[in-house]
């Protein structure tokens, strides 16, 4: 997606540990026009599917997921992170290790909002090693819902998650795929002619 790739090229900053910061338009300050365009693109990719719910994980997936849910005209459900010891029986829960913080979270959604009739499209900001997506897929499976696929704004294609999930049969659509990223700030994108 040209607009997103352009934004990453002009505003993205590479941090040690293979972390790309996009705080200016996605992870802190949010660019509504870009979110709208991302929603349009994800809708274009998945509109043939009868999606009933868009699902993401708090906090950074929420903006993209909401923009997407508005295009599909379905509810958006975000999994909540919690460090509490008591998991309520009224939720589906799993454990996810955060890529950026290294912390393990219990991640949960209420059983009230996800059920076996749902056809779920999972949306997130980044795909690195696939831990967040695997956690969300696990919640979908616990509910007996159908996973339609995943849509990601920025996939770091040099990390293992995309390949792992695609090899396991999950449809993954990424709007910008970074092939290579160096600590001095060089970014190489898939389909990049420059
Ligand atoms: P994964 O679970 O695929 O290893 O990592 C994906 C999750 O970690 C995303 O939900 C995202 O919030 C965070 N993440 C992974 N890599 C990056 C990155 O380079 N930059 C930012 N800002 N977040 C990342």
């Amino acid at each position: 997606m040209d607009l997103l790739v352009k934004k990453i090229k002009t505003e993205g900053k590479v941090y040690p540990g293979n972390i790309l910061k996009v705080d200016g338009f996605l992870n802190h300050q949010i660019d509504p026009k870009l979110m709208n365009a991302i929603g349009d693109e994800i809708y274009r990719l998945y509109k043939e599917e009868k999606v009933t719910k868009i699902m993401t994980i708090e906090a950074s997936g929420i903006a993209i997921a909401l923009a997407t849910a508005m295009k599909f005209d379905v509810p958006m459900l975000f999994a909540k992170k919690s460090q509490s010891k008591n998991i309520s029986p009224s939720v589906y829960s799993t454990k996810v290790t955060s890529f950026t913080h290294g912390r393990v979270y219990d991640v949960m959604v209420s059983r009230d909002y996800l059920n076996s009739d749902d056809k779920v499209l999972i949306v997130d900001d980044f795909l690195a090693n696939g831990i967040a997506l695997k956690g969300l897929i696990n919640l979908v499976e616990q509910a007996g819902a159908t996973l339609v696929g995943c849509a990601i704004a920025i996939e770091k294609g040099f990390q293992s998650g995309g390949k792992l999930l695609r090899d396991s049969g999950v449809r993954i659509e990424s709007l910008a795929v970074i092939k290579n990223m160096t600590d001095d700030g060089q970014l190489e994108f898939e389909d990049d002619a420059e």
Side-chain angles (χ1 to χ4, degrees):
M1 184 183 164
D2 287 352
L3 184 61
L4 177 60
V5 169
K6 241 181 234 157
K7 272 286 214 193
I8 299 168
K9 281 183 178 171
T10 51
E11 295 183 34
K13 291 193 181 72
V14 178
Y15 279 65
N18 282 327
I19 292 181
L20 175 67
K21 283 261 190 186
V22 287
D23 281 3
F25 59 91
L26 186 56
N27 285 152
H28 189 19
Q29 173 171 265
I30 290 173
D31 179 336
K33 283 208 176 97
L34 180 64
M35 293 308 110
N36 192 47
I38 287 175
D40 280 336
E41 180 61 5
I42 295 175
Y43 181 71
R44 189 185 67 78
L45 290 163
Y46 280 102
K47 66 174 182 297
E48 319 304 340
E49 306 285 345
K50 293 195 169 29
V51 173
T52 65
K53 201 149 289 182
I54 307 297
M55 198 170 147
T56 191
I57 183 165
E58 69 177 356
S60 51
I62 290 177
I64 297 174
L66 179 62
T68 306
M70 289 178 77
K71 306 294 170 182
F72 281 90
D73 195 18
V74 298
M76 185 277 276
L77 176 67
F78 65 92
K80 295 190 173 195
K81 293 173 183 165
S82 134
Q83 287 172 308
S84 83
K85 292 209 172 67
N86 301 314
I87 307 284
S88 153
S90 64
V91 301
Y92 299 112
S93 80
T94 189
K95 288 192 188 303
V96 166
T97 305
S98 147
F99 181 88
T100 38
H101 304 112
R103 228 178 286 155
V104 180
Y105 292 95
D106 285 304
V107 168
M108 60 194 69
V109 294
S110 166
R111 288 173 187 250
D112 288 343
Y113 306 126
L114 192 61
N115 61 62
S116 58
D117 294 333
D118 277 316
K119 295 191 91 186
V120 180
L121 172 59
I122 294 176
V123 170
D124 205 3
D125 59 341
F126 275 90
L127 171 56
N129 295 322
I131 309 298
L133 287 191
K134 272 200 227 157
L136 290 169
I137 292 169
N138 183 282
L139 297 176
V140 170
E141 286 170 351
Q142 285 181 48
T146 305
L147 177 70
V148 165
C150 303
I152 302 297
I154 306 170
E155 175 175 346
K156 292 185 292 179
F158 54 90
Q159 292 177 314
S160 61
K163 179 170 169 28
L164 250 148
L165 287 158
R166 287 184 183 98
D167 285 353
S168 73
V170 178
R171 179 178 173 194
I172 310 272
E173 302 283 355
S174 298
L175 307 192
V177 181
I178 300 174
K179 255 201 321 206
N180 209 2
M181 186 162 112
T182 57
D183 279 351
D184 65 354
Q186 301 295 315
L187 293 172
E188 195 189 337
F189 289 83
E190 231 167 60
D191 305 323
D192 207 343
E194 288 165 71

